[in-house]
Amino acid sequence: MRRKTKLIHGGIPFDPHTGAVSVPIYQVSTYKQDDIGVHKGYEYSRTGNPTRHALEQYIADLEEGARGFAFSSGMAAIHAVFSLLSAGDHIILTDDVYGGTYRIVTKVLNRLGIEATFADTTSLEETEKALRPNTKALFVETPTNPLLKVTDIAAAAVWAKSKQLLFIVDNTFSTPYWQTPLALGADIVLHSATKYIGGHSDVVAGLAVVKNDKLGEELHFVQNAIGGVLAPQDSWLLIRGLKTLGLRMEAHEENARAIVAYLSGQPTIQSIHYPGLPNHPQHELAKRQARGFGGIISFDVGSGEKASEVIGKLKYFTLAESLGAVESLISVPARMTHASIPKERRALLGITDGLIRISVGIEDSEDLLEDLEQSLN
């Protein structure tokens, strides 16, 4: 089954009880039991809900995994996965990681006795340097937010397996339409489903998919114990959003390519970060391990003042947190999504005050290009 077909027919494509071609919203908290412990597969909606189950089966199929899990936010999904670890364990994480991931690792997990080291995972040599005797997991975000660095998933998987590490990949930017990390050797895939999977700026959610049943049992225990599950209405919104994921991802990328081509000819732009550029450090790797380059672009205009000036003149780019929606969104990571990262660390990573991130929408590309031109000039 090809990818666009799988987006329509994957998972549980209709309600098994009524034949409805859209799985209903089971807005229910508890379920009648025929006898003590005898039920129809559901007892309590924190443990399992038919609408959420349909979504979880759907994302498991798309990511080519054994079992999927839906959470109330991307951070809830990350927290649940990190809860598979124990006090005294150590994690290696990509250095250029989303600010919320950095925050939970350095401000929450550290209080629970879980240690972390941030490394440039685009280099196996640098990743190896971060290894400790108590290292239990490798967490990779690829492409990264906001500098679009790309880690070799297959190579990292081989290395992680040789060290007996749990290998976790945040696949938010690429989605399963462009990239399937489990097929490349990852153990767990994570998504902020608020972004491309939802795609319409109307739901906050997180997803996780595991490669085998053993991990599935462990993560389901954590999900049920902590309880940060996704509600039925939001689960239904994600199911609906996923139906058009292929069409949207192709449209996002088509517009992104046009904008990158325009920005490349502007002398005031100091740098552009996009895996689709031939001069991107991991361009060939991105071509090899993913089926597309995505719709996120970062570029540096030189200063925070210039960034504010550029953004202030735009008409079709909405200044907002988040990404992956049908409308084009624009942000300054240093003052928004990555403000929780200390300024010195941002400078070390290259997240400057003049760095602008665009989540390219699916508007007419000519309107977006004209808007950028009048703003930059």
Side-chain angles (χ1 to χ4, degrees), residues 63-374:
E63 283 287 8
E64 301 178 22
R67 192 166 175 180
F69 300 90
F71 298 88
S72 56
S73 70
M75 289 312 305
I78 288 173
H79 178 221
V81 169
F82 282 150
S83 296
L84 296 172
L85 303 173
S86 302
D89 288 349
H90 173 254
I91 319 167
I92 301 171
L93 300 98
T94 300
D95 53 1
D96 172 28
V97 77
Y98 168 56
T101 305
Y102 181 86
R103 180 173 54 230
I104 195 173
V105 168
T106 60
K107 303 294 185 181
V108 178
L109 297 184
N110 65 323
R111 288 158 39 194
L112 304 177
I114 296 176
E115 303 168 355
T117 300
F118 295 88
D120 181 4
T121 57
T122 65
S123 164
L124 275 180
E125 183 180 352
E126 292 300 315
T127 307
E128 179 88 43
K129 290 178 183 177
L131 187 69
R132 298 181 187 174
N134 60 332
T135 304
K136 300 297 182 183
L138 172 63
F139 182 102
V140 165
E141 187 180 294
T142 182
T144 63
N145 182 7
L147 296 176
L148 286 303
K149 291 160 62 176
V150 178
T151 294
D152 189 329
I153 297 172
V158 170
W159 180 81
K161 186 176 181 179
S162 73
K163 306 301 179 183
Q164 298 182 309
L165 306 182
L166 184 67
F167 183 28
I168 307 158
V169 177
D170 187 327
N171 199 30
T172 297
F173 273 25
S174 289
T175 81
Y177 189 71
W178 287 143
Q179 181 173 271
T180 40
L182 294 181
L184 296 171
D187 296 308
I188 300 177
V189 171
L190 285 165
H191 292 276
S192 172
T194 309
K195 313 304 194 296
Y196 285 113
I197 287 177
H200 294 78
S201 298
D202 56 8
V203 61
V204 174
L207 297 171
V209 181
V210 298
K211 74 171 183 180
N212 59 49
D213 291 331
K214 181 178 182 297
L215 272 174
E217 289 299 320
E218 292 174 3
L219 189 55
H220 181 256
F221 176 84
V222 169
Q223 182 192 45
N224 187 48
I226 296 177
V229 296
L230 192 63
Q233 172 79 23
D234 292 339
S235 297
W236 183 87
L237 284 171
L238 289 192
I239 292 171
R240 185 183 66 167
L242 274 165
K243 302 292 185 184
T244 59
L245 180 66
L247 298 174
R248 290 187 286 106
M249 294 307 289
E250 290 179 1
H252 288 304
E253 178 159 327
E254 183 180 354
N255 281 353
R257 287 175 180 270
I259 289 174
V260 166
Y262 168 75
L263 292 174
S264 296
Q266 300 305 304
T268 57
I269 304 299
Q270 296 192 358
S271 61
I272 305 171
H273 306 274
Y274 185 67
L277 279 170
N279 63 357
H280 185 282
Q282 294 92 40
H283 174 68
E284 291 302 319
L285 169 61
K287 282 173 61 178
R288 186 170 69 249
Q289 79 176 12
R291 294 171 289 274
F293 300 114
I296 305 295
I297 306 164
S298 293
F299 60 100
D300 201 322
V301 294
S303 69
E305 292 76 15
K306 181 65 174 176
S308 295
E309 183 182 345
V310 169
I311 287 173
K313 294 177 181 177
L314 292 168
K315 297 183 295 183
Y316 297 132
F317 293 83
T318 302
L319 177 63
E321 301 272 358
S322 199
L323 56 97
V326 292
E327 63 272 4
S328 291
L329 302 176
I330 195 164
S331 66
V332 178
R335 286 184 276 168
M336 297 173 72
T337 56
H338 289 65
S340 61
I341 296 177
K343 184 176 178 62
E344 305 76 33
R345 178 163 180 77
R346 291 200 306 266
L348 183 66
L349 293 172
I351 305 174
T352 65
D353 291 344
L355 187 73
I356 294 174
R357 188 192 72 189
I358 293 177
S359 171
V360 184
I362 62 172
E363 301 94 339
D364 190 298
S365 62
E366 291 300 315
D367 286 323
L368 298 178
L369 290 171
E370 288 169 4
D371 197 19
L372 278 171
E373 185 173 25
Q374 64 83 23

